[in-house]
């Protein structure tokens, strides 16, 4: 099953010191390298700070655009991973490896199954069946 792991972090007023930022980048690189080697990583990207966000709401057919994130919360979406996992337990194991201090303070990982997307492993199996049947 394909899961999205949403990385939430709390933005600190001064960001991260360079050594800490490098430690966090190395932590993400380690997770991505391992997940890539095990062929479960579908994608992963960091997001720019919330100060760069734009929110669009449509009311009465008119788009209303505001600067900033959708909600006033302490934790903000910092990035995501998409992984092909056998089950939620495996997704939890991967989520526990993902650094969440991306924006300066400890955060959390929200795991959500993705809808209406075929499992990558099942798609490969179907392709293999198709090739063997069709020559």
């Amino acid at each position: 099953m394909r899961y999205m792991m949403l990385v939430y972090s709390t933005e600190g007023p001064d960001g991260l010191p360079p050594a800490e930022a490098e430690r966090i980048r190395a932590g993400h690189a380690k997770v991505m390298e391992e997940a890539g080697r095990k062929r479960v990583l579908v994608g992963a990207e960091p997001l720019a700070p919330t100060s760069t966000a734009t929110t669009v709401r449509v009311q009465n057919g008119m788009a209303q655009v505001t600067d900033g994130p959708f909600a006033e919360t302490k934790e903000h979406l910092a990035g995501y991973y998409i992984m092909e996992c056998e089950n939620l337990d495996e997704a939890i194991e991967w989520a526990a490896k993902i650094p969440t201090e991306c924006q300066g303070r400890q955060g959390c990982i929200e795991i959500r199954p993705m809808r209406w997307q075929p499992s990558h492993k099942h798609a490969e199996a179907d392709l293999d069946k198709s090739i063997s049947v069709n020559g």
Side-chain angles (χ1 to χ4, degrees), residues 96-113:
K97 297 177 182 184
I98 299 172
T100 61
E101 305 93 342
C102 311
Q103 303 293 328
R105 296 192 181 128
Q106 189 71 29
C108 67
I109 305 292
E110 177 183 338
I111 302 170
R112 294 177 64 179

Side-chain angles (χ1 to χ4, degrees), residues 8-12 50 71-77 103 105-106:
Y8 288 93
S9 188
T10 303
E11 293 180 352
T50 58
E72 295 293 325
T73 63
K74 291 183 180 180
E75 291 182 336
H76 299 283
L77 185 59
Q103 303 293 328
R105 296 192 181 128
Q106 189 71 29

